[in-house]
């Protein structure tokens, strides 16, 4: 009965495939109305060989996608009806390959912090040129300093590199045999010319890469190929299904959440955290990121923290072994158990405070040496206090990011809360209280949903990107702030910033000693 109800009247299915930092999520939508037919996620590992390092094995992405697609099918989605699919992925992550498109090294991820020295050199010698060309300032997040680190430490790798793709593009190549990327993804490298919308030969030369190794660039909604026979056998997708390019996860998240008007703002509680504001033109700023929007002619400004829901996952894996065992026995969710414990702790977590700098920090500090900390711990502190402090600390970090948007004077209208963390009623409430604003939680409104809409645009099911959102997106709920809690959080936020200011010099003086 469940299968028939899900598929009742469905003739054409769109698939969105999201490669987040921590895993792959696949969503299947009805092409007629955007109704979610089923979704599934599969995690993959990130390797941390040294402090500040972060790498992934490209083979894991394809395996995770295959597992997620088959899990969606197991929920009753008829894969034979998939007409088109599109991809998105975390950006800045270069897959370095030989001439036959075989990876020759694990991929350095955007969270990697090893290229601090290269960034200092880039800022000193080429900072103004880079900013004028790419609209960004060098930090370890970007592909350019990552490649410079390889040039300085693993020069043989760059000599062997004949082809370069990025996360979603590499997996899409395995499905179609077509190697391309899109111009928004390219903006995440720091060797892209924003004015000409093309690769910058001057900046590519700084990276040490061969200019000819870079892929052809297309639009996110361009159809680029079809599912091949081997990929169809691997995944269960129909051979010949149309494959649309897609783009970076942050661009697709903004779009899929409904942020398609100037002034719309996204607050993201995913592996990383973002505060993104939609604009009519680019607003380059040295402590933010600037990208084109999926809707042609629009842009968005990003103020971003490195670790949001990543902190929650880290705490689960490191300290919630008993909860994991109980969840396996009862069929419950560990995160729900963690939320229940946190809800027993009051605003301010009985004095415990968390700073979520597990992998350094981006906005507003751009300080790779920062490290996470719990402060204010006493003999009476409970696990629930620690968990609530973690949720509050991530919300404070996002408000810190929002401060940059306010400093820039960008107008903000509607605020949408997205990401896996937005599924938590408690965490959503904390964010609304910390920001002291009403937030809307879209449904489904995540990256895989946005990617599926792009597939529909590319395949002709929707007239354009905006009409796809208007037809398919719904708001699941709105969360209003509690004025009393918001007042308490306003005081705690000042303490949060004071603790950062006190500890930052310690981390910077002793980090590598």
């Amino acid at each position: 009965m469940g299968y028939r109800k899900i598929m009742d009247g469905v003739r054409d299915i769109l698939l969105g495939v999201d490669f987040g930092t921590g895993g792959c999520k696949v969503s299947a939508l009805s092409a007629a109305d955007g109704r979610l037919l089923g979704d599934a996620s599969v995690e993959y590992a990130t390797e941390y060989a040294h402090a500040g390092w972060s790498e992934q094995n490209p083979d894991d992405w394809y395996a995770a996608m295959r597992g997620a697609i088959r899990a969606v099918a197991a929920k009753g989605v008829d894969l034979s009806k998939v007409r088109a699919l599109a991809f998105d992925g975390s950006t800045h992550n270069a897959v370095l390959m030989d001439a036959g498109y075989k990876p020759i090294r694990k991929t350095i991820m955007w969270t990697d912090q090893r290229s601090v020295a290269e960034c200092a050199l880039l800022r000193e010698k080429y900072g103004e040129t880079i900013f004028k060309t790419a609209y960004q300032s060098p930090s370890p997040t970007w592909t350019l300093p990552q490649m410079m680190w390889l040039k300085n430490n693993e020069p043989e790798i760059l000599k062997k590199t004949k082809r370069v793709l990025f996360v979603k593009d590499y997996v899409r190549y395995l499905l179609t045999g077509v190697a391309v990327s899109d111009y928004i993804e390219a903006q995440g490298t720091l060797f892209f010319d924003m004015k000409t919308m093309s690769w910058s030969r001057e900046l590519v030369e700084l990276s040490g890469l061969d200019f000819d190794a870079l892929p052809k660039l297309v639009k996110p909604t361009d159809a680029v190929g079809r599912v091949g026979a081997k990929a169809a056998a691997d995944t269960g997708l129909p051979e010949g299904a149309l494959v649309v390019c897609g783009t970076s996860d942050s661009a697709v998240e903004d779009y899929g959440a409904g942020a398609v008007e100037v002034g719309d703002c996204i607050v993201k509680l995913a592996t990383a955290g973002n505060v993104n504001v939609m604009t009519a033109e680019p607003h380059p700023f040295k402590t933010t990121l600037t990208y084109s929007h999926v809707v042609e002619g629009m842009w968005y400004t990003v103020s971003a923290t490195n670790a949001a829901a990543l902190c929650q996952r880290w705490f689960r894996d490191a300290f919630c072994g008993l909860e994991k065992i109980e969840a396996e026995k009862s069929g419950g969710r560990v995160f729900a158990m963690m939320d229940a414990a946190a809800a027993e702790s009051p605003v301010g977590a009985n004095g415990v405070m968390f700073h979520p700098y597990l992998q350094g920090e981006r906005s507003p500090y751009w300080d790779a040496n920062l490290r996470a900390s719990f402060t204010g711990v006493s003999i009476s502190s409970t696990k629930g206090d620690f968990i609530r402090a973690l949720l509050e600390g991530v919300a404070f970090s996002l408000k810190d990011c929002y401060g940059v948007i306010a400093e820039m004077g960008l107008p903000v209208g509607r605020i949408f809360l997205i990401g896996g963390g937005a599924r938590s009623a408690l965490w959503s409430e904390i964010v609304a209280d910390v920001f002291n604003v009403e937030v809307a939680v879209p449904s489904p409104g995540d990256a895989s949903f946005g990617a599926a809409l792009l597939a529909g645009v590319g395949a002709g099911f929707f007239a354009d990107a905006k009409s796809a959102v208007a037809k398919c997106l719904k708001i699941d709920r709105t969360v209003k702030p509690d004025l009393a809690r918001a007042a308490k959080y306003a005081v705690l936020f000042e303490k949060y910033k004071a603790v950062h200011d006190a500890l930052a010099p310690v981390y910077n003086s002793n980090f590598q000693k």
Side-chain angles (χ1 to χ4, degrees):
M1 178 64 71
Y3 170 78
R4 287 196 296 271
K5 184 176 180 181
I6 289 172
M7 296 301 297
D8 185 35
V10 175
R11 296 176 51 192
D12 304 306
I13 294 175
L14 304 172
L15 221 59
V17 185
D18 164 51
F19 294 99
T21 306
C24 176
K25 181 177 181 181
V26 174
S27 291
L29 309 183
S30 165
D33 56 11
R35 176 163 49 99
L36 180 65
L37 305 174
D39 58 20
S41 301
V42 175
E43 293 185 2
Y44 35 71
T46 301
E47 298 180 18
Y48 307 101
H50 304 281
W53 287 32
S54 176
E55 297 182 345
Q56 291 184 1
N57 185 339
D59 291 341
D60 292 344
W61 307 328
Y62 185 88
M65 177 194 68
R66 182 173 57 187
I69 290 173
R70 293 193 177 277
V72 166
K75 292 182 176 181
V77 174
D78 185 354
L79 295 180
S80 70
K81 295 183 177 181
V82 172
R83 303 294 178 246
L85 60 155
F87 299 78
D88 74 86
S90 60
T91 191
H92 314 297
N93 315 311
V95 186
L96 307 181
M97 299 169 288
D98 62 19
Y101 289 93
K102 298 292 184 183
I104 59 176
R105 189 195 190 287
K106 291 174 183 175
T107 293
I108 299 175
M109 300 301 291
W110 67 268
T111 49
D112 194 284
Q113 299 292 304
R114 77 185 71 179
S115 58
V116 172
E118 286 74 17
C119 288
L121 177 65
L122 286 171
R123 285 192 294 269
E124 179 184 351
K125 290 192 172 183
Y126 309 102
E128 289 305 315
T129 297
I130 291 172
F131 188 74
K132 289 179 181 177
T133 304
Y135 291 178
Q136 328 285 357
S137 294
S139 77
T141 290
W142 301 96
T143 314
L144 171 54
Q146 294 169 4
M147 297 303 101
M148 288 186 69
W149 186 92
L150 289 175
K151 182 168 64 173
N152 293 335
N153 295 274
E154 300 177 16
E156 70 283 359
I157 292 295
L158 291 189
K159 290 178 182 177
K160 294 177 182 177
T161 299
K162 304 301 179 184
R163 299 285 185 267
V164 178
L165 288 172
F166 303 91
V167 177
K168 73 177 194 318
D169 306 316
Y170 172 68
V171 181
R172 191 180 57 246
Y173 168 79
L174 296 179
L175 281 183
T176 65
V178 179
V180 297
S181 189
D182 68 284
Y183 63 87
I184 301 177
E185 179 84 62
Q187 292 168 5
T189 61
L190 213 61
F191 36 81
F192 184 81
D193 189 322
M194 290 289 208
K195 294 183 180 66
T196 64
M197 286 290 164
S198 62
W199 297 116
S200 165
R201 187 174 292 273
E202 180 181 6
L203 298 185
V204 172
E205 287 177 355
L206 293 178
S207 75
L209 288 171
D210 180 353
F211 186 87
D212 293 332
L214 294 171
K216 174 187 174 183
L217 300 178
V218 300
K219 295 180 181 179
T221 53
D222 282 352
V224 296
R226 295 186 179 275
V227 175
K230 182 179 183 304
D234 280 346
T235 62
L237 293 172
E239 183 179 355
L242 189 70
V243 179
V244 174
C245 181
T247 188
S248 72
D249 57 356
S250 66
V252 167
E253 284 163 347
D254 292 356
Y255 168 66
V260 294
E261 303 294 342
V262 172
D264 285 348
C265 179
I266 292 292
V267 176
K268 173 184 172 184
L269 272 176
T271 300
N274 286 15
V275 177
N276 302 351
V277 178
M278 311 305 117
T279 61
E281 61 277 317
H283 291 272
F285 197 68
K286 291 193 175 180
T287 58
T288 63
L289 315 178
T290 304
Y291 292 112
S292 298
H293 196 285
V294 165
V295 176
E296 289 191 53
M298 285 182 62
W299 294 73
Y300 65 102
T301 290
V302 179
S303 187
T305 177
N306 275 341
L310 173 66
C311 300
Q312 187 187 38
R313 186 183 305 163
W314 161 76
F315 194 92
R316 176 200 67 183
D317 294 343
F319 303 111
C320 293
L322 293 178
E323 288 82 356
K324 291 171 78 171
I325 292 172
E326 178 60 30
E328 289 173 1
K329 289 181 179 178
S330 65
R333 293 180 64 251
V334 178
F335 290 142
M337 294 179 181
M338 292 169 65
D339 272 7
E344 295 296 317
S345 179
V347 169
N350 286 315
V352 182
M353 182 166 281
F354 177 69
H355 285 69
Y357 310 142
L358 289 175
Q359 289 186 290
E361 187 54 299
R362 292 193 286 175
S363 302
Y365 305 111
W366 295 97
D367 187 346
N369 291 340
L370 290 177
R371 288 295 177 264
S373 63
F374 283 102
T375 57
V377 181
S378 73
I379 192 68
S380 64
S381 299
T382 66
K383 183 180 283 189
D385 292 335
F386 280 91
I387 298 170
R388 185 177 189 103
L390 186 149
L391 303 180
E392 292 177 341
V394 170
F396 287 142
S397 179
L398 289 167
K399 186 171 181 179
D400 230 358
C401 291
Y402 186 81
V404 182
I405 303 299
E407 178 187 351
M408 294 174 66
L410 297 179
V412 175
R414 300 181 297 178
I415 295 183
F416 300 92
L417 181 64
I418 67 169
R423 291 196 293 269
S424 163
L426 176 61
W427 211 350
S428 300
E429 176 186 284
I430 289 172
V431 170
D433 290 341
V434 167
F435 277 68
N436 195 18
V437 295
E438 180 178 314
V439 298
V441 181
S443 176
D446 60 8
S448 58
F449 173 77
L453 293 187
L454 290 185
V457 176
F461 286 100
F462 308 118
D464 54 44
K466 273 193 173 184
S467 61
V469 168
K471 184 174 184 179
C472 300
L473 183 70
K474 298 175 177 62
I475 298 300
D476 179 61
R477 67 190 191 279
T478 58
V479 185
K480 296 182 179 180
D482 177 275
L483 296 182
R485 293 194 299 259
K488 292 178 181 179
Y489 279 129
V491 174
L492 289 169
F493 181 58
E494 296 306 314
K495 180 180 178 181
Y496 173 89
K497 291 191 291 184
V499 172
H500 162 271
D501 293 346
L503 289 180
V506 177
Y507 293 127
N508 279 282
S509 63
N510 295 303
F511 179 67
Q512 291 182 333
K513 294 182 182 179

